[in-house]
Amino acid sequence: MPHTYNDVRALIETVPFLECQVPDQIREIQSEIKLENKIKYNQAIMDKQMLCHISAFLLVFLLTFVAETNAYGFGRCPNYPSMPKFNMSRVLGHWYEVERSFYLPEIASGCTTFQFEPYSKGEQSKFQNFKLGVAIKNINRITGNPNVNIGYATPENSRSSIMDFKFTTRFPDVIARLLPGSGKYQVLYTDYENFAILWSCGSIGSLGHSDQIWILGRDRDFEVDIRSKVYDVLKKLSLDPDRLIISKNKNCPEAI
């Protein structure tokens, strides 16, 4: 009895996901298929092989990406303590993104700046931390259009350099927490006058984690001695400076 198209399709679906060569036992029944189903049979084979090759390519790309960025690790996120004697009032003002690790949402961005201000003037204090208003501005290097994102950062406590950041949005709070870029951020270290190391990390239980690093400066670039100090701090924290890429800060407008 000739095999139907559905019989063949069911057999093809049993082939392992990344096995791109269709087994001989499936090809051998081609002669038994009715003529009107041969086109469907060939299309099913092609669909399976195309999906397999695309999946294999994406897997290789992902593994290469992980190897190159070192952004992923096994287990939960490292637990860094809050920066001792962190003074939020001293980080206020204008900062430039000087370097960063690979971060997909910023792949087309350049001329990135951060503006930190008290979320409420009445809460500002020199002695304890307060809710922080954040404006992140950049230029899309493909379209040339400016982009401005507004949000706020709430410190864990009155002395902590660990903050929960959310974008200002009309979405309910439960949804705003899930938007890309929202989450926990930590100032690992800053000298307030020259640089700040901003870090964020997310994990999937104990299976693995992914982290990002941003190096902020009061100017668009560092002097050699400042950059050396930044890298020394990263190494002490077991963060590899080789992960960093220089931010796109050439031909930037004075204001965005």
Side-chain angles (χ1 to χ4, degrees):
M1 178 179 176
H3 290 273
T4 66
Y5 166 73
N6 289 334
D7 292 337
V8 176
R9 189 78 191 192
L11 281 172
I12 292 174
E13 294 300 327
T14 66
V15 177
F17 189 58
L18 288 178
E19 185 177 319
C20 297
Q21 294 299 321
V22 177
D24 291 339
Q25 63 265 32
I26 294 179
R27 292 193 178 279
E28 287 172 357
I29 64 174
Q30 181 178 11
S31 59
E32 302 177 30
I33 301 175
K34 291 181 178 179
L35 181 61
E36 62 267 23
N37 285 325
K38 286 189 182 295
I39 295 177
K40 288 185 178 181
Y41 166 85
N42 290 331
Q43 186 62 52
I45 293 290
M46 291 174 62
D47 289 346
K48 172 65 182 179
Q49 291 180 320
M50 181 176 292
L51 178 62
C52 177
H53 288 302
I54 291 173
S55 301
F57 170 79
L58 291 175
L59 180 60
V60 171
F61 174 82
L62 178 61
L63 292 175
T64 303
F65 165 74
V66 169
E68 290 296 323
T69 63
N70 294 317
Y72 296 86
F74 295 109
R76 298 181 183 276
C77 291
N79 185 20
Y80 293 113
S82 174
M83 178 181 164
K85 300 181 180 179
F86 177 68
N87 188 332
M88 185 173 283
S89 65
R90 295 183 64 191
V91 303
L92 296 178
H94 197 73
W95 293 85
Y96 299 95
E97 181 191 270
V98 182
E99 299 188 40
R100 62 174 171 80
S101 59
F102 179 86
Y103 184 50
L104 189 59
E106 287 193 60
I107 196 168
S109 298
C111 305
T112 302
T113 65
F114 293 73
Q115 184 74 25
F116 300 130
E117 300 293 343
Y119 189 77
S120 171
K121 293 290 185 181
E123 295 181 1
Q124 185 173 353
S125 169
K126 293 182 180 181
F127 307 104
Q128 60 183 8
N129 293 336
F130 43 86
K131 195 172 180 178
L132 198 64
V134 182
I136 306 171
K137 303 178 181 181
N138 56 50
I139 299 291
N140 186 303
R141 294 188 291 115
I142 298 175
T143 65
N145 295 328
N147 183 53
V148 179
N149 290 300
I150 306 296
Y152 59 92
T154 306
E156 285 190 335
N157 57 59
S158 62
R159 304 301 294 175
S160 179
S161 67
I162 303 171
M163 291 163 274
D164 183 44
F165 175 78
K166 283 183 282 190
F167 288 107
T168 301
T169 175
R170 295 181 180 179
F171 290 118
D173 190 63
V174 66
I175 297 178
R177 290 177 176 273
L178 302 176
L179 293 176
S182 295
K184 292 283 185 183
Y185 289 80
Q186 183 170 352
V187 179
L188 294 178
Y189 185 81
T190 179
D191 67 355
Y192 303 104
E193 302 298 326
N194 299 290
F195 73 91
I197 300 174
L198 187 64
W199 178 78
S200 182
C201 185
S203 62
I204 306 175
S206 59
L207 295 177
H209 68 269
S210 168
D211 71 339
Q212 286 82 40
I213 308 165
W214 293 266
I215 309 299
L216 309 185
R218 292 295 189 181
D219 296 307
R220 290 196 187 275
D221 203 357
F222 294 133
E223 297 292 338
V224 174
D225 60 327
I226 299 299
R227 180 169 269 113
S228 179
K229 185 176 181 179
V230 171
Y231 290 176
D232 285 343
V233 173
L234 289 173
K235 290 174 183 176
K236 289 178 182 178
L237 294 168
S238 298
L239 294 171
D240 187 359
D242 287 341
R243 289 176 51 190
L244 301 177
I245 57 177
I246 304 295
S247 298
K248 307 296 183 181
N249 282 327
K250 292 184 178 180
N251 302 316
C252 295
E254 288 297 321
I256 300 177

